[in-house]
């Protein structure tokens, strides 16, 4: 019996197989046991998820789940503020949006899908 590979997301080796899937119990990441074929890209597109685990896509509307202070400003974004028409970007702050006319970059962990 061969040992399953380390988790590609958290790099821990505490993984197991479940049918055709590998599962990491530490971070909850699941991936296919099949190697990607030559015509598929080597790296899958990053899936951005909200605080509840729902996938976000460009154009979604989101709601803040907690008050956030804007760094370098006296503005505080209030819980329940809605942002319409978000854009997903690469980087630490993965959502680009406008709230109350101010363009901001936010982390998806502080948002929920509206």
């Amino acid at each position: 019996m061969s040992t399953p590979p380390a988790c590609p997301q958290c790099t821990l080796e505490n993984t197991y197989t479940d049918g055709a899937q590998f599962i990491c119990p530490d971070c909850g990441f699941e991936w296919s046991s099949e190697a990607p074929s030559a015509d598929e890209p080597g790296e899958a597109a990053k899936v951005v998820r909200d605080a509840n685990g729902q996938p976000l896509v460009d154009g979604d509307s989101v709601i803040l789940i907690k008050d956030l202070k804007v760094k370098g400003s006296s503005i505080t974004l209030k819980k329940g503020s809605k942002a319409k028409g978000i854009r997903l970007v690469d980087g630490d702050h993965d959502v680009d949006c406008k709230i109350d006319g101010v363009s901001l970059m936010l982390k998806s962990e502080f948002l929920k899908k509206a």
Side-chain angles (χ1 to χ4, degrees):
M1 183 172 159
S2 66
T3 60
C7 176
Q9 189 167 24
C10 68
T11 66
L12 296 176
E13 296 181 1
N14 187 21
T15 58
Y16 62 93
T17 58
D18 184 21
Q21 297 276 339
F22 290 115
I23 300 173
C24 177
D26 298 314
C27 68
F29 185 67
E30 298 180 8
W31 69 100
S32 175
S33 61
E34 300 174 3
S37 63
D39 58 348
E40 292 179 9
E43 186 176 325
K46 180 181 173 188
V47 177
V48 177
R49 297 188 182 274
D50 69 359
N52 296 327
Q54 297 294 320
L56 297 173
V57 294
D58 286 343
D60 277 346
S61 295
V62 294
I63 298 173
L64 287 174
I65 62 167
K66 66 181 277 186
D67 289 351
L68 297 175
K69 293 182 181 179
V70 178
K71 198 173 201 177
S73 173
S74 62
I75 298 173
T76 299
L77 301 174
K78 298 294 182 185
K79 176 181 178 181
S81 297
K82 189 172 186 177
K84 298 177 186 175
I86 65 168
R87 289 185 312 146
L88 302 180
V89 294
D90 291 333
D92 188 31
H93 293 73
D94 44 15
V95 175
D96 189 15
C97 63
K98 279 190 177 181
I99 298 178
D100 299 329
V102 179
S103 183
L104 302 163
M105 292 189 74
L106 301 172
K107 293 185 177 185
S108 60
E109 63 194 53
F110 300 117
L111 304 170
K112 71 176 181 178
K113 204 171 197 177

